[in-house]
């Protein structure tokens, strides 16, 4: 069993993704506020069993005979969670950015992995569960550009899962100083019946964030029930026509 820790934006989840094989695997990230990483991993790697917080007591039993990864968010107190890691006999991995010198990581970790990503020095974390909200792609592009380019404060790291008007679900990922990425479509069926009842949300690390403005701007971009029904009906008709060709 491997416990992975590091600063925000340094690539903890990405490192875990690189370790995953087709073998049965457990993934657990305690006290996660939304579950963006859990949702993405579950979609991308269906053979990975993602555990919820209320399954923590079953971790040792469920992990018997399989690979298991515990991702520790930076908001957690590693000293307080140490007894759990000791009980589980975890191999401790710290992901650090190049040039980082921190005696605390040297003391905590059994293994240190140097990442090509730079850790954020953000002081604020803004999180929003947006499940049930639907946005059109053009509005999402504008919102994401404004968010990541400093319209609402200095953003070091942002990620989110968004439900689009055409029923698709996409993942957005931003790290300051890195080449901007396109949104990735998640391998999920189109949601074409009312407001989606699967997880979507946003997580933003930064400094001097105008949280109220971020929330209001996103809300302004979201579609009404009438608009959602209109778009969904259009997509249904389009798919029906394509099926007849």
């Amino acid at each position: 069993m491997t416990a992975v820790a590091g600063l925000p934006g340094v690539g903890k989840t990405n490192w875990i993704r690189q370790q995953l094989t087709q073998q049965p695997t457990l993934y657990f990230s305690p006290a996660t506020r939304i579950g963006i990483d859990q949702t993405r991993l579950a979609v991308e790697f269906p053979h990975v069993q993602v555990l919820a917080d209320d399954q923590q007591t079953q971790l040792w039993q469920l992990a018997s005979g399989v690979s298991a990864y515990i991702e520790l968010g930076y908001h957690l107190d590693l000293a307080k969670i140490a007894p759990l890691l000791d009980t589980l006999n975890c191999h401790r991995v710290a992901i650090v950015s190049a040039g980082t010198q921190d005696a605390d990581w040297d003391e905590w970790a059994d293994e240190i992995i140097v990442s090509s990503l730079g850790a954020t020095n953000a002081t604020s974390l803004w999180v929003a569960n947006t499940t049930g909200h639907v946005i059109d792609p053009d509005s999402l592009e504008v919102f994401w550009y404004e968010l990541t380019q400093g319209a609402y404060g200095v953003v070091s790291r942002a990620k989110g899962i968004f439900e689009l008007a055409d029923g698709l679900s996409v993942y957005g990922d931003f790290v300051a100083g890195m080449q901007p990425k396109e949104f990735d479509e998640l391998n999920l069926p189109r949601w074409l019946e009312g407001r989606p009842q699967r997880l979507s949300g946003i997580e933003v690390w930064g400094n001097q964030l105008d949280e109220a403005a971020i929330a209001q701007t996103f809300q302004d971009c979201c579609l009404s029930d009438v608009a959602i029904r209109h778009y969904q009906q259009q997509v249904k008709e389009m798919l029906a026509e394509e099926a007849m060709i």
Side-chain angles (χ1 to χ4, degrees):
M1 190 176 300
T2 303
V4 183
L7 296 174
V10 80
K12 297 183 294 296
T13 308
N14 190 53
W15 183 83
I16 292 173
R17 289 174 67 246
Q18 293 172 358
Q19 313 310 307
L20 297 178
T21 66
Q22 294 303 313
Q23 300 302 315
T25 305
L26 292 180
Y27 172 85
F28 178 55
S29 185
T32 302
R33 303 189 186 190
I34 299 182
I36 294 172
D37 291 327
Q38 290 95 319
T39 299
R40 186 183 177 213
L41 282 173
V43 171
E44 189 173 354
F45 301 96
H47 61 283
V48 173
Q49 183 178 358
V50 178
L51 302 184
D53 277 342
D54 59 6
Q55 294 177 290
Q56 177 175 315
T57 56
Q58 307 173 47
L59 187 57
W60 178 259
Q61 177 183 356
L62 293 172
S64 178
V66 303
S67 298
Y69 293 91
I70 302 176
E71 181 173 348
L72 304 174
Y74 185 63
H75 60 285
L76 296 176
D77 186 331
L78 295 183
K80 290 183 178 179
I81 206 169
L84 171 63
L85 302 184
D86 292 339
T87 300
L88 297 173
N89 193 28
C90 286
H91 177 68
R92 303 183 185 188
V93 174
I95 312 294
V96 303
S97 56
T100 297
Q101 293 183 339
D102 192 326
D104 289 339
W105 289 125
D106 292 336
E107 181 178 343
W108 180 85
D110 299 314
E111 180 182 1
I112 292 181
I113 304 295
V114 178
S115 169
S116 60
L117 300 177
T120 175
N121 59 356
T123 57
S124 299
L125 170 63
W126 180 78
V127 175
N129 187 326
T130 61
T131 299
H133 290 73
V134 178
I135 188 170
D136 72 85
D138 290 340
S139 295
L140 176 58
E141 291 284 353
V142 173
F143 167 75
W144 194 249
Y145 178 82
E146 291 181 347
L147 174 68
T148 58
Q149 297 306 308
Y152 313 109
V154 180
V155 173
S156 303
R157 178 81 167 93
K159 55 186 170 183
I161 293 176
F162 304 95
E163 294 288 345
L164 302 184
D166 59 4
L168 298 178
S169 182
V170 297
Y171 171 77
D173 195 340
F174 170 81
V175 179
M178 301 295 291
Q179 186 70 21
K181 297 180 180 179
E182 298 290 332
F183 287 99
D184 290 332
E185 180 183 329
L186 298 181
N187 186 25
L188 292 169
R190 290 181 188 265
W191 194 289
L192 297 175
E193 296 295 338
R195 292 189 176 275
Q197 298 304 305
R198 58 192 179 196
L199 184 137
S200 61
I202 314 171
E203 183 177 303
V204 181
W205 283 92
N207 295 305
Q208 299 177 320
L209 297 178
D210 189 341
E211 299 181 3
I214 298 173
Q216 187 60 57
T217 302
F218 179 78
Q219 185 65 45
D220 292 343
C221 293
C222 292
L223 301 174
S224 66
D225 289 337
V226 173
I228 292 172
R229 286 195 296 270
H230 172 72
Y231 279 111
Q232 290 176 344
Q233 184 59 37
Q234 283 188 325
V235 174
K236 289 177 184 177
E237 293 174 359
M238 177 193 70
L239 294 176
E241 291 175 0
E242 291 178 353
M244 296 174 62
I245 297 177

